[in-house]
Amino acid sequence: MKLSKTRLALIIGLAGMLLLVAVIVSPLLLMSMPSFLSDSASVDCDDSAQVEEASDSASSDIPAAYLELYKDYGKRIGVQWNILAAVGKRETDHGRSDLPGVKNGTNSAGAAGPMQFLISTWGGKARVPMSSKFTGYASDGDGDGVGDVYNPADAILGAARMLKRNGAPENVRQALFVYNRAWWYVDQVEEIARKYAKSGAVEVPPQASEECDEPLVEAAPSDVVAKILQFALAQRGKPYLWGGTGPDSFDCSGVIYAAYKAAGLTIPRTTFGQWPFGVKVLEGEEEPGDLVFFNAGPGTSANNPGHVGLVVSKGKMLEARCRLCGPIKVTSYQARDTRVGFTRPLQNPAVQEQLKKLQNRTL
C-alpha cells in the first residue's frame, strides 16, 4: 500500500515526538529510582560464597563439564568452588583415574565415585532413590530422582553439601579434615585450590557489610518487623551454641526467639514449638519476619522440622546453623533442598493479642 506524502510526514513527526519524550523521560525515571536499586552494585549484600575466578591452570586441567559443576554447586551451596575442585583433583583427577572405585565398585576403604564417598555416608548403596528414608549425602544433581555416587553432577553436589555441613566456607580446614581425616590431606587440597584460584588464595567470603542492614530494616512491612530484623541482623558474626538464647551466642531458634522478644513479643523457644505456632505461608508469599523451616537434624522430618531461619528479604534468611558451620549469618534459603515450609508467627492469635497490648501502650 502506498502512503501519501502528507500521511508519511505525519508518521515521521509522531515518531520524532515519541523519541523526544523517551529521551526526556528516561533520565527522570532513572533519577527517581529508589536508592536501593541504584546503589546495589556498589555494596555486596550477599553472605554466600563469592565466585573466585579460575586460573589458567584450572581451566587447562579441569574438564569443562566438571569445572561448570564445581562452580555451579559451589555457588549454590555456599562453598568455595576451587576447594571442591581441589578435592576432585586430589581424589580421582576429576574422574579420570582408573583406580578401583572411581567408575564402578569401591576401593579398599569402601569409597566410590569421582569424589570418593564412603558408601555408608553416601546413603548405604551407590544408587540411592531420593525418596528413600535415609539418603545420607546422596544428592540428585541431574534431576533424575536418584543420587548416583558415580555421576559427577550428583557426587559434586553431595561433596559441596558435606563440606558446607562441616564448616565451609569459613572453617574450610575443619570441613576438609572431616572429609578425609588427615591434616596432610587438608594441606594438599588447599595447595591445589590455591593453584586453581586466579588470586592464588583460598578466600573466606566476608560477611555482608552492615551497610546492607539499613535497607532491609527500612523495607520491613511494619515497625514491629523492623525491630525484629534490626535485632536479628545485629547478631551476625556471633557463634552458634546449642540451646543458646544470647546475648553472646545462639542456636537457630534461639536467635529468632530473642529477636521477637526484642520487639516485645513472645513466641515458642524451640524449632519444634515454632513450626506449629505460626500460620503457614505459601512459598513465594513469604515476607521479612516470617520463618523458614528445614528437614534437618536427628529425629526430624517434613512434618517435624529441626532447623529454622528468619526471612530477612526474598530468598535470604538469617540463621544460626551449627557449631561447625561458622557464625550467625545471612544466607540463601532457596539453595537448600531440605526446605519444608514457611510460617508467620505474627498471625498467631496469641501474638495478635500481644500486638494489641503494645499498640495500646503507645496510645
Side-chain angles (χ1 to χ4, degrees):
M1 182 179 69
K2 259 189 165 182
L3 294 174
S4 67
K5 289 184 179 180
T6 304
R7 185 173 296 180
L8 184 61
L10 180 60
I11 291 172
I12 293 172
L14 286 172
M17 289 176 65
L18 289 172
L19 181 61
L20 180 61
V21 169
V23 169
I24 294 172
V25 171
S26 295
L28 293 175
L29 287 173
L30 289 172
M31 289 171 64
S32 63
M33 285 174 66
S35 60
F36 68 87
L37 290 177
S38 59
D39 295 341
S40 61
S42 63
V43 178
D44 180 11
C45 294
D46 189 350
D47 282 354
S48 62
Q50 305 300 304
V51 178
E52 172 67 71
E53 287 190 58
S55 65
D56 292 340
S57 173
S59 299
S60 61
D61 183 49
I62 305 172
Y66 272 71
L67 181 57
E68 184 176 350
L69 289 170
Y70 293 136
K71 287 187 172 182
D72 183 21
Y73 292 132
K75 183 177 182 181
R76 173 177 160 184
I77 302 301
V79 301
Q80 298 96 323
W81 76 261
N82 51 319
I83 287 289
L84 260 182
V87 170
K89 174 67 174 179
R90 177 61 184 77
E91 296 291 351
T92 68
D93 192 20
H94 310 300
R96 290 178 292 217
S97 172
D98 292 323
L99 290 173
V102 177
K103 299 177 176 66
N104 52 65
T106 62
N107 64 13
S108 59
M115 302 304 282
Q116 290 292 276
F117 268 96
L118 292 174
I119 292 298
S120 58
T121 60
W122 181 253
K125 53 186 176 180
R127 289 175 56 83
V128 181
M130 299 314 294
S131 58
S132 300
K133 186 174 181 180
F134 173 71
T135 57
Y137 284 109
S139 302
D140 183 13
D142 60 359
D144 65 356
V146 176
D148 185 345
V149 76
Y150 303 108
N151 181 309
D154 295 355
I156 292 170
L157 176 56
R161 290 176 57 214
M162 185 174 182
L163 290 171
K164 181 72 173 181
R165 173 66 180 80
N166 291 298
E170 296 88 358
N171 298 331
V172 71
R173 287 183 63 81
Q174 174 67 35
L176 289 170
F177 183 80
V178 174
Y179 200 97
N180 190 334
R181 294 181 178 276
W183 289 113
W184 56 261
Y185 173 87
V186 174
D187 292 338
Q188 287 182 7
V189 170
E190 284 200 327
E191 183 58 31
I192 296 169
R194 289 188 184 92
K195 291 177 181 177
Y196 281 168
K198 192 170 185 178
S199 67
V202 178
E203 296 294 334
V204 176
Q207 284 287 292
S209 167
E210 290 183 4
E211 296 174 59
C212 304
D213 294 356
E214 190 174 340
L216 291 175
V217 172
E218 288 180 353
S222 69
D223 290 342
V224 170
V225 173
K227 290 178 182 178
I228 292 169
L229 296 186
Q230 193 167 32
F231 178 91
L233 290 167
Q235 311 316 307
R236 285 190 314 185
K238 293 184 178 180
Y240 173 94
L241 176 67
W242 188 83
T245 54
D248 299 321
S249 55
F250 299 84
D251 65 10
C252 64
S253 56
V255 69
I256 293 171
Y257 171 81
Y260 270 76
K261 188 175 180 181
L265 303 173
T266 300
I267 64 171
R269 158 67 187 86
T270 68
T271 304
F272 299 118
Q274 290 173 1
W275 169 242
F277 182 78
V279 174
K280 299 296 187 294
V281 177
L282 293 176
E283 183 159 354
E285 296 181 5
E286 69 274 12
E287 298 178 352
D290 291 345
L291 309 187
V292 53
F293 292 84
F294 302 86
N295 180 10
T300 68
S301 66
N303 296 319
N304 193 36
H307 181 58
V308 61
L310 175 70
V311 177
V312 297
S313 66
K314 190 67 73 174
K316 297 291 181 183
M317 65 177 172
L318 179 126
E319 68 167 341
R321 191 171 184 185
C322 72
R323 185 175 62 83
L324 296 176
C325 300
I328 296 170
K329 55 183 173 288
V330 173
T331 61
S332 167
Y333 58 75
Q334 292 178 327
R336 305 280 180 82
D337 54 9
T338 55
R339 188 171 69 253
V340 299
F342 301 85
T343 70
R344 187 164 296 156
L346 292 176
Q347 288 186 350
N348 180 282
V351 174
Q352 290 284 306
E353 286 299 316
Q354 295 175 44
L355 287 170
K356 287 179 183 177
K357 289 180 181 179
L358 288 175
Q359 289 172 355
N360 291 334
R361 288 176 195 169
T362 59
L363 293 177

